[in-house]
Amino acid sequence: MLSIQFLRDHPEEVRRALARRHTEAPLDEAIALDADWRRVLAEVESLRAERNTISKEIGKLSRLAETAETKEAKHAGHRRTDLVARSSFLGERLQALEAQVRELEARLREFLLEIPNIPADDVPDGPDESGNVVVRQSGEPQEFNFQPKPHWEIGEALDIIDFERGTKLSGGRFVVLKGSGARLARGLIAWMLDQHIANGYFEIYPPAMLREENFWAGGWLPKFRENIFHDAEEDYWLLPTAEVALTNLHRDEVFDASVLPLNYVAYSPCFRREKASAGRDVRGMKRVRQFDKVEIYKFVEPGLSDSALGVIVSDAEALCRALDVTTRVVQICAGDLGFNAAKAFDLELWAPGSGEWLEVSSCSNCTDFQARRANIRFRREKGGRLEHPHTLNGSGLAIPRVLIAVLENYQQRDGSVLIPEILRPYMGGLTTITREQAKTSK
């Protein structure tokens, strides 16, 4: 969330940011409502000051009226009666105005929650994903001496991905992983967690169901309401990403700067309605409603967030390189930035069977945007002013698309799939997935 002071001081900068994002937000409404709020608040403060002055005067007059019967004492009594009446009137007026202030504050916050983060100056301009810029690529797509198959054909032929039973159990965009397919997904999760822990991240296993306030604080509400699964009976919201939980670990907390940076890694199941992808290619495992993901997350001092973003990208990219799959890093343009992000990079793996680049990670610097929403603060020294840390997040990595990339890049002419060497310790020494091997794992 942007601070209201920033909107007051730099409305044109926010307006330019919205134009760069090619989006609309209630900026003018927020500015107008803020002016109303300040006007009413000024009246409240003026009336409070008058009432306090009257209260002190009533006290003096009461003591004077209690003296012997004199003309001065009688006058004090009459004056006191008038002031008591005035104080009573002010009290009723204040009560109404204070309620109006609270209502205006609530409405203003609702507007502020709908205004996205400001893109960093070095974010490229562009209306949508067509404006994204490839920063670098490692390796070239390998050449096959046969026609590579897409993962849905590979998975069904090896009997390790069951789309039909996934649909039978839960409907469209759900899959069942079987045998070596399930073990490969589990191995990927364990390997990714081990790598990030070795890089200094502290492991968290969060609940998969959170209260609604976590989604407001994390910036997922109101923007992404339609894509979040919600249990209305007990007001639980299913995680779309562990980012929401990690943001809220320190909600409403104040800590010392000496604890920064805080580096977290979390595995979680993720749930999304995927309404935004309607009409796009949804065949196979590319877009499913339940998937596993490892998330990396940082809380850092404000001046260090840009370099911290580079670290997160590097840590996620190292996993892609270790799998020895062609990888590219793409900087996201202003028109394609996520709501919370000021700057972001995507990591993509080449899938030769599907014939496309698959996003397996999106790494974002959210500056103080989320921390302000979540009321997370820190002090650099005892008694010092409160500041908001910067938050950063990145997938490290999303399992289904990594699984797709492994199956399609390591497929063999005979239909088997080699296990990447880095993953073999997590597969019980298994080096190849074959149809026969898959059968024996049932």
Side-chain angles (χ1 to χ4, degrees):
M1 182 171 68
L2 302 178
S3 73
I4 186 60
Q5 190 62 51
F6 186 85
L7 262 64
R8 292 170 188 160
D9 296 342
H10 308 284
E12 291 308 313
E13 182 175 344
V14 179
R15 211 177 305 280
R16 286 192 297 271
L18 293 174
R20 291 186 67 199
R21 281 180 167 271
H22 295 263
T23 192
E24 296 180 354
L27 173 60
D28 293 332
E29 294 90 333
I31 291 173
L33 199 62
D34 176 56
D36 290 341
W37 175 76
R38 284 189 288 170
R39 174 182 54 76
V40 177
L41 184 61
E43 186 176 355
V44 165
E45 291 172 346
S46 175
L47 294 182
R48 282 175 181 166
E50 181 183 354
R51 195 181 186 196
N52 289 337
T53 300
I54 288 175
S55 295
K56 293 177 182 178
E57 184 66 18
I58 288 174
K60 294 178 182 178
L61 293 172
S62 295
R63 289 190 293 273
L64 183 58
E66 291 171 357
T67 60
E69 286 288 330
T70 64
K71 183 183 294 186
E72 185 178 0
K74 289 181 180 180
H75 177 74
H78 292 313
R79 174 62 176 161
R80 177 182 176 281
T81 299
D82 292 341
L83 290 178
V84 167
R86 175 63 178 172
S87 180
S88 177
F89 167 78
L90 291 178
E92 293 176 1
R93 177 62 177 160
L94 275 171
Q95 188 175 13
L97 288 175
E98 287 168 347
Q100 188 176 352
V101 166
R102 290 191 296 270
E103 179 187 354
L104 290 171
E105 284 177 341
R107 289 170 55 200
L108 178 57
R109 181 173 175 81
E110 288 178 2
F111 284 139
L112 293 176
L113 291 174
E114 294 185 39
I115 300 174
N117 205 349
I118 304 290
D121 292 339
D122 58 349
V123 169
D125 288 325
D128 49 36
E129 61 185 14
S130 65
N132 295 342
V133 178
V134 177
V135 176
R136 58 182 174 272
Q137 178 176 316
S138 63
E140 293 294 331
Q142 65 169 307
E143 294 184 4
F144 291 80
N145 58 8
F146 60 93
Q147 181 62 42
K149 296 178 179 179
H151 67 281
W152 55 85
E153 292 184 14
I154 298 170
E156 289 180 337
L158 291 174
D159 196 28
I160 59 174
I161 306 176
D162 197 326
F163 296 100
E164 183 178 344
R165 287 189 172 92
T167 300
K168 180 174 73 172
L169 291 175
S170 302
R173 301 196 196 178
F174 287 92
V175 301
V176 172
L177 296 179
K178 302 163 62 176
S180 298
R183 189 169 191 176
L184 180 56
R186 176 162 50 91
L188 282 166
I189 294 168
W191 168 65
M192 292 173 186
L193 286 171
D194 286 349
Q195 294 300 304
H196 291 309
I197 291 169
N199 284 333
Y201 292 86
F202 184 75
E203 185 177 1
I204 300 291
Y205 182 64
M209 298 188 296
L210 303 181
R211 296 295 190 187
E212 180 178 341
E213 58 263 30
N214 295 282
F215 289 79
W216 288 99
W220 283 79
L221 286 177
K223 179 70 173 178
F224 304 105
R225 183 182 295 273
E226 290 190 353
N227 270 335
I228 305 173
F229 284 102
H230 176 215
D231 170 31
E233 182 176 346
E234 295 194 54
D235 194 28
Y236 281 119
W237 297 66
L238 298 185
L239 274 186
T241 167
E243 174 196 341
V244 184
L246 294 175
T247 299
N248 283 275
L249 278 181
H250 298 289
R251 176 163 45 91
D252 296 323
E253 293 183 16
V254 176
F255 44 78
D256 191 88
S258 62
V259 307
L260 296 174
L262 291 169
N263 304 309
Y264 293 121
V265 59
Y267 153 74
S268 74
C270 303
F271 306 87
R272 299 183 188 180
R273 295 186 187 277
E274 286 288 2
K275 286 189 176 182
S277 64
R280 301 182 65 175
D281 179 20
V282 294
R283 191 170 185 184
M285 292 178 59
K286 181 181 176 183
R287 296 184 184 277
V288 288
R289 291 178 172 176
Q290 176 186 331
F291 61 96
D292 294 312
K293 183 159 70 77
V294 174
E295 186 80 3
I296 49 181
Y297 199 97
K298 289 177 178 284
F299 292 90
V300 304
E301 292 184 28
L304 303 177
S305 63
D306 200 47
S307 60
L309 177 60
V311 173
I312 280 190
V313 172
S314 177
D315 289 341
E317 187 180 6
L319 297 178
C320 299
R321 291 174 178 267
L323 290 171
D324 198 22
V325 174
T326 305
T327 306
R328 70 181 187 183
V329 179
V330 179
Q331 183 168 11
I332 305 305
C333 73
D336 198 33
L337 272 180
F339 182 81
N340 297 321
K343 186 176 182 180
F345 295 87
D346 280 358
L347 301 180
E348 299 177 341
L349 296 180
W350 175 248
S354 304
E356 62 180 325
W357 291 96
L358 300 177
E359 176 201 322
V360 296
S361 178
S362 185
C363 304
S364 302
N365 181 0
C366 298
T367 60
D368 61 356
F369 190 81
Q370 288 178 312
R372 178 172 283 105
R373 291 173 77 108
N375 193 32
I376 304 168
R377 296 153 296 164
F378 75 98
R379 283 192 176 93
R380 298 181 187 272
E381 56 186 23
K382 187 176 181 179
R385 70 182 181 89
L386 291 172
E387 300 179 56
H388 295 288
H390 283 195
T391 62
L392 303 100
N393 66 82
S395 302
L397 306 160
I399 302 304
R401 294 182 181 182
V402 175
L403 191 62
I404 291 172
V406 169
L407 293 178
E408 294 191 8
N409 280 279
Y410 283 87
Q411 62 181 298
Q412 305 298 301
R413 176 183 286 275
D414 63 3
S416 64
V417 173
L418 291 179
I419 304 297
E421 190 171 343
I422 195 74
L423 296 178
R424 291 175 186 177
Y426 297 87
M427 296 291 290
L430 187 69
T431 61
T432 308
I433 300 176
T434 66
R435 177 75 181 189
E436 289 71 23
Q437 178 271 325
K439 288 179 180 178
T440 61
S441 66
K442 287 185 179 179

